[in-house]
Amino acid sequence: MTLPPHRKQEIRARYLEVDTANVADVLDELGYPDYGLSSAFWPIREGSKLAGWAYTVRGQMTPYPGSGDPAKMEAVSGLEEGEVSVWSGGGAEGVCFFGELIALGMRERGCAGALIDGGIRDIRWINEMQFPVFTRYRTPVQSIGRWQVNAWQVPVYLPGATAERVVVRPGDFILADFDGAIVIPAELAETVLERAEALTQKERLIREDLRQGASLPEVLAKYGHV
């Protein structure tokens, strides 16, 4: 799906106003039940929200000589505004995929945050720059000499909530908040957004009716199940 930059930014801004729970409900209704990600993903800063178009980076545990990973630098140099860097490859291995400096470089390119099936370090400094990150674990151990990027902008696997694996393709939409993280297939991004916005508005009306003294059976009869 190719959208002009201004349209992509508009969609991203609107997704920031809806919750992953409502998006998950909409995907269920549309027949896409297995796009929620593992509950092991957590935000390094409480209350942060992550929304953007997936830019995938894939790597693997492998020993190698030298003092850096040129492929990693080349991979992140392609990030564009409003994209989320999605890191796949060995989430239980115990090394960090990036830290403060690479996060700073991504933010300066307009990157909207990172979703990491792996580890992160320099959490204090990344939080100070208010860069949204959802990750599997924290570790001080660097990846240099241990874990290496082998591809980017290719479909990748991430661990799922109701399925062992969820495929994330470049250009799919990523949304993560206090409840967890979910993937919205690119071709469904606008449809899901519109329905999630409608559901969000319905919930606002229900809350208001309840505050005004209506009973739960009354509001369910009025608005239906949510």
Side-chain angles (χ1 to χ4, degrees), residues 17-220:
E17 300 300 319
V18 300
D19 296 333
T20 55
N22 285 342
V23 167
D25 290 353
V26 170
L27 285 170
D28 277 349
E29 292 170 3
L30 293 173
Y32 293 82
D34 295 320
Y35 281 82
L37 296 178
S38 168
S39 61
F41 289 100
W42 58 275
I44 67 169
R45 181 167 58 90
E46 185 176 352
S48 63
K49 193 162 188 176
L50 179 64
W53 308 89
Y55 181 101
T56 63
V57 181
R58 190 188 71 197
Q60 67 183 90
M61 293 296 294
T62 182
Y64 61 94
S67 58
D69 182 359
K72 180 189 287 189
M73 298 300 102
E74 185 178 353
V76 300
S77 70
L79 278 159
E80 297 183 357
E81 185 175 0
E83 292 181 326
V84 168
S85 61
V86 177
W87 298 72
S88 170
E93 300 294 345
V95 300
C96 80
F97 289 4
F98 71 90
E100 174 201 5
L101 297 182
I102 195 168
L104 180 59
M106 290 191 296
R107 190 190 67 170
E108 294 305 309
R109 297 189 62 83
C111 177
L115 179 67
I116 308 164
D117 181 22
I120 187 173
R121 68 181 187 177
D122 303 330
I123 292 175
R124 170 190 172 187
W125 306 110
I126 294 172
N127 280 341
E128 283 193 6
M129 70 175 78
Q130 297 187 353
F131 186 74
V133 175
F134 282 67
T135 187
R136 293 278 301 279
Y137 57 81
R138 58 189 176 184
T139 176
V141 180
Q142 69 177 347
S143 62
I144 294 175
R146 301 182 175 99
W147 184 93
Q148 192 171 39
V149 168
N150 58 29
W152 54 96
Q153 286 297 71
V154 296
V156 299
Y157 281 130
L158 293 183
T162 57
E164 183 178 358
R165 299 183 184 90
V166 177
V167 175
V168 182
R169 304 165 302 173
D172 285 343
F173 199 88
I174 303 295
L175 185 67
D177 58 19
F178 188 81
D179 289 329
I182 197 161
V183 181
I184 302 98
E187 62 273 18
L188 298 176
E190 294 185 79
T191 298
V192 170
L193 175 60
E194 291 169 1
R195 295 196 184 193
E197 287 174 330
L199 186 54
T200 299
Q201 178 58 20
K202 181 189 287 190
E203 288 184 344
R204 291 192 186 108
L205 295 173
I206 289 173
R207 292 188 193 103
E208 184 58 30
D209 282 7
L210 289 171
R211 279 193 284 265
Q212 295 298 322
S215 69
L216 185 57
E218 287 172 339
V219 296
L220 291 178

